[in-house]
Amino acid sequence: MAGAMTPSIGVNEAALADYLARELDLKGGMTVTPISGGQSNPTFFVTSGDRSLVLRKQPEGRLQKGAHAVDREFRVLSALTNTDVPVPRPLTYCDDPSVLGTPFYVMERIDGRVFHDASLPDLSPAERRGVYLSMAKAMAKLHAVRPENIGLSDYGSPGNYFERQVSRWGRQWRESALTGMPEIDQLERWLFDNMPDDDGAVSIAHGDFRLGNLIFDRDSTRVAGILDWELSTLGHPLADLGFCCMAWRTTPAEYGGIRDLDMAGLGIPTRTEFVDEYYRHATPTAPLEPFHEAFALFRFAVIFVGIAERSKQGNAVGDRAAELEHLAPAFARRGLEITG
């Protein structure tokens, strides 16, 4: 067995093997492989015999309050397991720091395809269209679940979701050590000045619902699993829909958007077609407004600020974290474009 690896990105395989032997009766040889590409909680494939698992752990170092809440991920996955929302089955959660240094959980690995390039270069036009429309349907399926029916009535604070969220992310931005991004300040002011009335809609909001956080079947465009629930909470369904629409608002150079691509030639639905597909399958929901998309871009701008800060501290997960700082003001500018 290997010893401890770099704390922020690795695991002590011997300690993990001992823990999984106790909790899941996992015996025999074990391999642990880091999954690259993430910017948040370190994630690993774990293989032992015929068992294929995934481990997600909290990173080391100073963390912002409420961030990297792997316990919440485990809870929401456990609650959704017996619904028709496609999620990997969670198996065990550990908050004992003597095992891997930080809290972690283990879930079953879904065999499928993950697409990190939103242009889907290896698919046919028909498959590209199917993937995007399946994404809209999977989101609508999630939002149709009533939190109180699966033990999640206290998973967040219902009501005034957008007001609380703009305040939260604005506070996180102002507490950052990074400066010189007036676009974020300007967009925050616009959001407060154009806050919609609370319509009482409450759903399980994923918080990071995008193509790269979905697993698709090997042989179809059906969504087989929704991943990365770190930012999930009780919220407004239009927060997820607005967030998912960022792909159409940003370019490939801006964290892999699809703006300016030949979407008709590629077979990718237009933003309007995508939104219409969501509403065809959603429970009654208010129309998507510029506010919802501008808010999504504001929030992701602040997320990029956090990634840049973790990079400067030396505990960011992604190899490219230091390169992403410029995307914070870029996303805020995209949000300001929507405001007119």
Side-chain angles (χ1 to χ4, degrees):
M1 295 291 181
M5 300 167 63
T6 303
S8 62
I9 61 173
V11 298
N12 184 321
E13 293 186 19
L16 177 62
D18 290 341
Y19 174 82
L20 295 180
R22 293 194 308 269
E23 296 297 322
L24 302 181
D25 197 30
L26 224 62
K27 299 175 181 178
M30 184 184 73
T31 61
V32 180
T33 307
I35 302 173
S36 62
Q39 298 296 336
S40 185
N41 294 325
T43 307
F44 306 83
F45 288 138
V46 179
T47 304
S48 179
D50 62 352
R51 298 291 299 275
S52 295
L53 310 173
V54 174
L55 179 149
R56 275 173 67 82
K57 72 185 293 287
Q58 194 176 74
E60 303 278 357
R62 182 177 66 87
L63 304 176
Q64 292 171 327
K65 182 179 178 181
H68 308 282
V70 293
D71 57 329
R72 287 177 60 83
E73 289 190 39
F74 185 80
R75 181 185 177 191
V76 71
L77 287 172
S78 300
L80 288 169
T81 296
N82 294 320
T83 72
D84 63 351
V85 178
V87 295
R89 186 165 72 94
L91 300 174
T92 183
Y93 170 75
C94 177
D95 61 1
D96 181 355
S98 70
V99 180
L100 297 184
T102 62
F104 67 92
Y105 71 94
V106 176
M107 57 186 165
E108 289 188 340
R109 179 178 177 180
I110 296 175
D111 180 36
R113 301 176 293 172
V114 178
F115 302 114
H116 294 292
D117 187 335
S119 68
L120 303 172
D122 297 325
L123 301 187
S124 68
E127 288 173 319
R128 293 186 188 106
R129 182 173 181 84
V131 162
Y132 273 91
L133 296 183
S134 293
M135 178 165 58
K137 287 185 281 189
M139 191 191 331
K141 189 177 293 186
L142 168 64
H143 294 159
V145 174
R146 302 315 313 146
E148 63 273 14
N149 292 342
I150 58 171
L152 292 180
S153 59
D154 62 344
Y155 194 60
S157 302
N160 298 315
Y161 174 78
F162 288 110
E163 182 177 350
R164 289 185 289 106
Q165 284 287 299
V166 173
S167 297
R168 172 195 169 184
W169 292 101
R171 182 170 59 252
Q172 188 162 313
W173 157 238
R174 286 186 294 278
E175 290 174 353
S176 165
L178 300 183
T179 59
M181 301 182 189
E183 302 92 340
I184 300 180
D185 295 318
Q186 186 179 348
L187 184 55
E188 181 189 12
R189 288 193 296 271
W190 185 91
L191 290 169
F192 271 119
D193 290 343
N194 292 272
M195 190 76 60
D197 293 333
D198 180 26
D199 62 3
V202 177
S203 69
I204 301 167
H206 179 273
D208 195 8
F209 201 104
R210 54 189 170 88
L211 192 65
N213 282 334
L214 305 178
I215 295 181
F216 292 83
D217 279 346
R218 288 286 180 194
D219 302 316
S220 77
T221 59
R222 184 185 72 90
V223 175
I226 305 171
L227 308 177
D228 197 351
W229 294 81
E230 177 195 345
L231 297 174
S232 61
T233 187
L234 295 188
H236 200 289
L238 294 182
D240 277 343
L241 183 58
F243 184 89
C244 211
C245 286
M246 284 198 304
W248 284 267
R249 299 292 188 179
T250 55
T251 68
E254 294 167 339
Y255 208 58
I258 57 176
R259 178 172 174 161
D260 299 336
L261 297 182
D262 177 15
M263 281 179 272
L266 290 170
I268 297 175
T270 65
R271 174 186 152 279
T272 298
E273 289 175 318
F274 177 82
V275 171
D276 288 346
E277 183 71 3
Y278 171 83
Y279 279 101
R280 267 192 289 273
H281 298 276
T283 55
T285 305
L288 184 71
E289 303 288 352
F291 173 91
H292 305 114
E293 293 188 73
F295 163 71
L297 287 153
F298 168 74
R299 193 186 67 153
F300 219 44
V302 180
I303 288 173
F304 281 127
V305 168
I307 293 171
E309 281 202 305
R310 293 199 304 276
S311 177
K312 293 178 187 298
Q313 296 163 10
N315 65 337
V317 177
D319 295 336
R320 295 180 54 246
E323 303 173 22
L324 299 180
E325 181 176 340
H326 75 281
L327 291 179
F331 270 61
R333 284 192 293 272
R334 293 301 186 196
L336 290 170
E337 289 176 2
I338 297 173
T339 68

